[in-house]
Amino acid sequence: MGKPLLKKSVKRLSLIALFALGQVVAAKQPNESKVTLIDGSWNPGEAGPVTTQANPLNRPFGVDFDSKGRMWIVELEGGRVHRLANGVRKQVGGDGSKSYRGDGGSLGHATFNGMHNLAIAPDDSVYIADSWNHCIRRVDAKGRITTYAGRGKAGFSGDGGPAAKAQFNYIMCITLNNNGDKLYVADLKNRRIREIDLKSDKVRTIAGNGQRGVPKDGTKATEAPLVDPRAVCSDTAGNVYVLERGGHALRVVRLDGRIYTVAGNGEKGNSDGGGSAARFNGPKHICADPAGNIYVADDVNHLIRKYEPETGEVSTVLGRGKVKLSKPHGVTWEKGKLYVVDSSNHRILRVE
């Protein structure tokens, strides 16, 4: 998500090789989208046999891809980092404990506490949202891990200064912009969206004033309240989308720095439609495709939804057909396909 076009073109052949050996049994949704099982098992009555793995995933929450086409996976409750290549998944970090160790050494000796997702930069640096440690960990191309942003304790400070000296409070999700030089952070309990410039290493707030509330359309984003910003992503034009789980809504910070609600009205529900007529229930994660469409992991509804900015319409792309989801969390767009982390089914799916 958000990688430069050159980097994505380098990954094409590797991705083909990665999944050529994978499970090719696929299911069709009502809209004829093909769903492929990447890791885990089909459920009874879906599209293929129920399988038992020797080392199943344990509540995976996020995936992203490096320049070699390898899929990286982080688990929330399992506390492990995995890498999937050529159809083989390997554990590369975490030991399942809820702890905070390993900085300065190899990823293989590091531990985490509630990883929600990750983002991989053009130089193959892997940034991990170590949520309950209130920090972002960075794994360099050589596999060495450090704490990149945050100090391991909850708080709010550091805007205008270096990422390592800033404080955050429950970093839920992180994502890179299209150029891969800015890292957006959903700083949940501070009720803010913050941006880290990877070139200057400086932190700033781009949405939220720390107060709880529904922002009025057209308000300057940094002066507006937020309910509970759970996830964030940007489109290719530079608009920044904010997903609120308890707010049951999708908002956008436009290029002029003003915030608007574009889907949902704050009420729980389960309906497609335009703008405020659409309903979400505890949505958790988002990503954008190159056309600017936004995909939403609608957790409590067990659905993947799609918001189209040109029409304002919200539709369902996965979960109402033969393939059923259970508390999906991660959504990642990669090379024309949508990858879905079906968290409570402990699996990864791909939607054509």
Side-chain angles (χ1 to χ4, degrees), residues 43 49 109 115-117 121 142 147 181 206 238 240 250 265 267 273 334 350:
N43 290 321
H109 293 100
M115 293 177 285
H116 269 73
N117 82 319
K142 295 181 179 180
T147 294
D181 58 3
I206 61 171
V240 177
L250 178 66
N265 75 344
E267 297 179 0
E334 181 72 11
R350 183 179 69 203

Side-chain angles (χ1 to χ4, degrees), residues 109-327:
H109 293 100
T111 61
F112 306 89
N113 190 0
M115 293 177 285
H116 269 73
N117 82 319
L118 73 166
I120 302 180
D123 66 356
D124 276 345
S125 294
V126 179
Y127 295 89
I128 298 173
D130 196 357
S131 304
W132 301 331
N133 283 328
H134 311 290
C135 67
I136 298 171
R137 312 283 286 279
R138 178 180 180 269
V139 184
D140 65 22
K142 295 181 179 180
R144 179 176 175 270
I145 189 168
T146 56
T147 294
Y148 172 73
R151 291 185 273 172
K153 294 182 179 179
F156 175 72
S157 66
D159 274 6
K165 293 186 177 181
Q167 282 186 294
F168 302 85
N169 195 346
Y170 275 57
I171 296 174
M172 287 294 104
C173 292
I174 57 177
T175 188
L176 289 159
N177 67 344
N178 190 59
N179 293 326
D181 58 3
K182 295 185 190 306
L183 189 66
Y184 295 109
V185 181
D187 193 0
L188 179 66
K189 289 197 173 181
N190 283 324
R191 298 190 177 93
R192 290 175 170 91
I193 299 297
R194 300 171 81 179
E195 176 193 276
I196 303 174
D197 188 312
L198 297 185
K199 293 181 178 179
S200 69
D201 194 39
K202 297 295 176 61
V203 180
R204 71 183 183 114
T205 294
I206 61 171
N209 63 5
Q211 301 300 310
R212 181 182 175 87
V214 177
K216 293 181 179 180
D217 282 354
T219 305
K220 189 176 179 181
T222 53
E223 298 175 358
L226 293 172
V227 179
D228 58 350
R230 179 77 184 211
V232 57
C233 75
S234 66
D235 63 17
T236 55
N239 298 299
V240 177
Y241 285 85
V242 180
L243 186 69
E244 300 212 278
R245 183 182 184 186
H248 311 292
L250 178 66
R251 315 191 200 280
V252 64
V253 179
R254 303 203 185 280
L255 298 181
D256 62 2
R258 298 188 179 276
I259 192 167
Y260 300 84
T261 299
V262 295
N265 75 344
E267 297 179 0
K268 296 179 183 179
N270 182 353
S271 59
D272 294 332
S276 61
R279 295 289 182 273
F280 303 101
N281 192 353
K284 279 190 174 180
H285 196 240
I286 50 176
C287 71
D289 69 18
N293 301 306
I294 305 300
Y295 298 87
V296 179
D298 194 2
D299 178 70
V300 181
N301 281 329
H302 312 292
L303 301 172
I304 302 299
R305 318 287 291 282
K306 177 182 179 181
Y307 166 73
E308 300 180 60
E310 288 190 3
T311 64
E313 290 289 318
V314 172
S315 59
T316 298
V317 298
L318 185 62
R320 297 197 195 275
K322 193 173 185 180
V323 175
K324 301 299 184 184
L325 307 176
S326 181
K327 293 187 174 296

Side-chain angles (χ1 to χ4, degrees), residues 94-113:
D95 63 5
S97 67
K98 292 181 172 64
S99 52
Y100 183 19
R101 300 191 300 270
D103 276 0
S106 67
L107 171 61
H109 293 100
T111 61
F112 306 89
N113 190 0

Side-chain angles (χ1 to χ4, degrees), residues 24 39 63-64 67-68 154 161 200 207 222 230 269 319 323 333 335 337 340:
V24 295
D39 194 300
V63 302
D64 203 1
S67 64
K68 296 179 181 178
S200 69
T222 53
R230 179 77 184 211
V323 175
W333 185 270
K335 300 308 300 178
K337 297 177 178 63
V340 174

